[in-house]
Amino acid sequence: MMRFEGKTALVTGGSRGIGRAICLELAKGGASVVFCWAGNGAAAQETARAVEALGAKVLAVRCDVADAEQVDALVKAALEGFGRIDILVNNAGITRDNLLMRMSEADFDAVIAANLKGAFLCMKAVSRLMLKQRYGRIVNLGSVVGLRGNAGQVNYAASKAGIVGMTKSLAKELASRGVTVNAVAPGFIETGMTAVLPDSARAAALGSIPMNRLGAPEEVARAAAFLASDEAAYITGQVLAVDGGMAM
Ligand code: NAP
């Protein structure tokens, strides 16, 4: 039996990058996958086709995770499609980098809304179901930046540090009911998010990675899938760094 057979996974921001790799990793394990995306319909279609090619069922829903009504509609669509949600991966995220003195209030708010409030809304929307089922796996995407800070990313670091606090708090709330809540904290991963960084920033990041290379989305996806699996049943409230040793 495949490790996610009979399970339904909801992945936010599944159209590209790490989220897409997580959708594929869960599908490979036999999960039915519901994922959402924000604006890039072509990328979402590509992910949906790739999931289907693995023989898994898939549902792609356009949803801004920062909007409570859209999140409720996403969860409703998942339940209509597959009847249950066993795994939630809060992966959707954005950056709006700038030094604090030049950072606009709008850029601070946008990052907190997508990265932190989005995860809050999704966890709130599924936790009642998971409690009823007495089963659930929630995996949140943090970042090495939420653990160590990074110049130019006050907003992003705050959102990702918030993810850690939220993960540990909800883990305590749900632990006795078979629901685990953990986080993965990637380092510097090759995706659209990091492709836009200037060469100088990439070189500086590389210099702080003991393994001396960037990570691949699939390497983060395998860690997320482990935390979403039954093999991780006795692990909750943890933050697993997948960063080539960056945050040691
Ligand atoms: P990415 O390639 O930029 O992809 C971001 C994904 O999130 C896309 O699918 C995007 O949808 C979706 N998204 C963005 N805002 C959304 C919103 N408001 N509602 C719903 N979906 C939204 O990013 P990534 O590098 O894969 O990052 C994925 C996660 O890992 C993020 O939480 C990020 O902070 C975290 N992370 C990444 C790195 C890294 O080095 N790449 C390091 C540490 C942590 P569209 O395609 O429709 O735009």
Side-chain angles (χ1 to χ4, degrees):
M1 183 167 155
M2 294 200 283
R3 66 174 170 165
F4 298 120
E5 212 168 293
K7 300 269 192 325
T8 301
L10 174 55
V11 181
T12 67
S15 48
R16 293 183 286 120
I18 294 169
R20 175 185 287 173
I22 291 172
C23 289
L24 296 179
E25 190 64 28
L26 296 172
K28 261 194 250 168
S32 299
V33 175
V34 182
F35 74 87
C36 79
W37 49 286
N40 193 335
Q45 272 187 11
E46 218 177 288
T47 300
R49 275 196 295 268
V51 170
E52 274 172 345
L54 292 167
K57 290 189 190 131
V58 65
L59 183 64
V61 180
R62 185 174 191 172
C63 166
D64 175 358
V65 292
D67 182 312
E69 274 179 28
Q70 291 185 40
V71 169
D72 287 345
L74 169 67
V75 168
K76 195 163 168 243
L79 289 176
E80 278 168 9
F82 300 120
R84 54 187 290 129
I85 297 170
D86 304 282
I87 298 163
L88 167 67
V89 182
N90 282 309
N91 164 83
I94 58 168
T95 50
R96 295 278 187 278
D97 297 351
N98 222 328
L99 295 172
L100 174 87
M101 281 194 277
R102 288 195 217 125
M103 186 176 286
S104 68
E105 194 178 336
D107 282 348
F108 183 83
D109 288 347
V111 169
I112 297 294
N115 299 7
L116 188 60
K117 184 178 166 193
F120 161 76
L121 291 174
C122 292
M123 295 196 302
K124 194 168 158 67
V126 304
S127 50
R128 198 181 300 275
L129 301 169
M130 289 183 171
L131 283 179
K132 256 201 211 156
Q133 289 169 184
R134 300 228 157 217
Y135 183 90
R137 296 279 180 274
I138 298 176
V139 181
N140 296 323
L141 269 288
S143 167
V144 63
V145 170
L147 307 174
R148 295 199 335 178
N150 194 27
Q153 292 199 301
V154 158
N155 50 359
Y156 184 77
S159 73
K160 295 301 185 179
I163 285 284
V164 174
M166 211 158 63
T167 297
K168 289 175 184 283
S169 301
L170 189 62
K172 287 184 175 171
E173 290 183 21
L174 304 184
S176 65
R177 316 281 189 90
V179 181
T180 66
V181 190
N182 290 290
V184 175
F188 204 125
I189 311 298
E190 291 274 17
T191 68
M193 188 176 273
T194 48
V196 295
L197 293 173
D199 286 348
S200 55
R202 290 171 77 85
L206 209 52
S208 67
I209 304 171
M211 285 190 187
N212 204 28
R213 68 169 178 87
L214 270 53
E218 294 73 20
E219 292 178 301
V220 180
R222 286 193 285 270
F226 166 66
L227 292 171
S229 74
D230 287 342
E231 288 148 16
Y234 202 52
I235 300 174
T236 198
Q238 299 304 303
V239 181
L240 177 56
V242 183
D243 63 357
M246 212 175 163
M248 280 193 279

